[in-house]
Amino acid sequence: MPTPNSPSQSAEDYLERIHELIEDKGYARVVDIASSLKVKQASVTSMVQKLGEAGYLKYEKYRGLILTNKGREVARKIHSRHETLSRFFSLFGLDAETQRLDIEGIEHHLSPATVEVLADLAGFFEEHPETLKIFQQSRKRAKRKRSSVTE
């Protein structure tokens, strides 16, 4: 959930992807970012310039894009938020593609407090699998009830 002094949703997506590329490959190039985000290289170049001006990254000749401490901090927070949501949704048996789409749709709109509650709830269910099982059984009953009403 961006604040006036934080990057936009789009900028967060770029920072997250740049961080992932650096972690995976050791570097991030405009062409790699464009390919992975499915956008044009010109769009990446424009965003990279904005992120550089805002102090989130810098370009080093022969090394590509480098996240500054400020950029790394934002990228890590985004990654952590993403991981928390994935962990939470995984508990309920949602498939990876559904999770990916849902997380992309909501991750920028949740406050840190809400993400913290979801992390705590995931932890609670992980520590109390019997409670999670009761919830899952309740969902199955509710689903059967809904489907019998529509028949």
Side-chain angles (χ1 to χ4, degrees), residues 119-147:
D120 292 346
L121 187 56
F124 175 82
F125 279 132
E126 289 165 347
E127 291 173 14
H128 300 90
E130 68 285 353
T131 305
L132 177 59
K133 189 172 184 174
I134 291 168
F135 173 75
Q136 290 169 330
Q137 290 168 343
S138 173
R139 284 200 70 228
K140 285 179 185 176
R141 285 191 301 274
K143 193 174 187 179
R144 283 194 301 268
K145 194 181 281 186
R146 284 190 301 267
S147 66

Side-chain angles (χ1 to χ4, degrees), residues 7-9 17 19-21 23 26 32-34 39 43 49 51 56 59 73 86 99 104 109 116 139 142-143:
S8 67
Q9 294 174 20
R17 189 54 46 97
H19 184 261
E20 289 170 355
L21 286 167
E23 291 292 309
D32 298 321
I33 299 163
V39 297
S43 298
Q49 289 170 341
L51 291 171
Y56 292 106
Y59 174 78
E73 181 181 331
S86 181
Q99 286 185 47
E104 284 180 12
H109 303 286
E116 184 178 324
R139 284 200 70 228
K143 193 174 187 179

Side-chain angles (χ1 to χ4, degrees), residues 86-103:
S86 181
R87 180 175 150 225
F88 180 74
F89 290 144
S90 291
L91 287 168
F92 306 108
L94 294 171
D95 64 89
E97 183 61 11
T98 299
Q99 286 185 47
R100 185 186 67 75
L101 293 171
D102 287 347
I103 291 168

Side-chain angles (χ1 to χ4, degrees), residues 51-120:
L51 291 171
E53 290 167 6
Y56 292 106
L57 57 79
K58 59 184 177 176
Y59 174 78
E60 290 188 3
K61 198 171 186 178
Y62 307 117
R63 289 189 64 198
L65 301 172
I66 306 295
L67 290 173
T68 62
N69 288 337
K70 180 180 176 182
R72 261 190 307 284
E73 181 181 331
V74 170
R76 284 186 185 128
K77 285 180 183 176
I78 296 161
H79 181 74
S80 176
R81 180 176 61 202
H82 194 100
E83 288 296 312
T84 295
L85 293 171
S86 181
R87 180 175 150 225
F88 180 74
F89 290 144
S90 291
L91 287 168
F92 306 108
L94 294 171
D95 64 89
E97 183 61 11
T98 299
Q99 286 185 47
R100 185 186 67 75
L101 293 171
D102 287 347
I103 291 168
E104 284 180 12
I106 67 169
E107 71 178 332
H108 300 289
H109 303 286
L110 297 176
S111 69
T114 299
V115 174
E116 184 178 324
V117 167
L118 294 176
D120 292 346

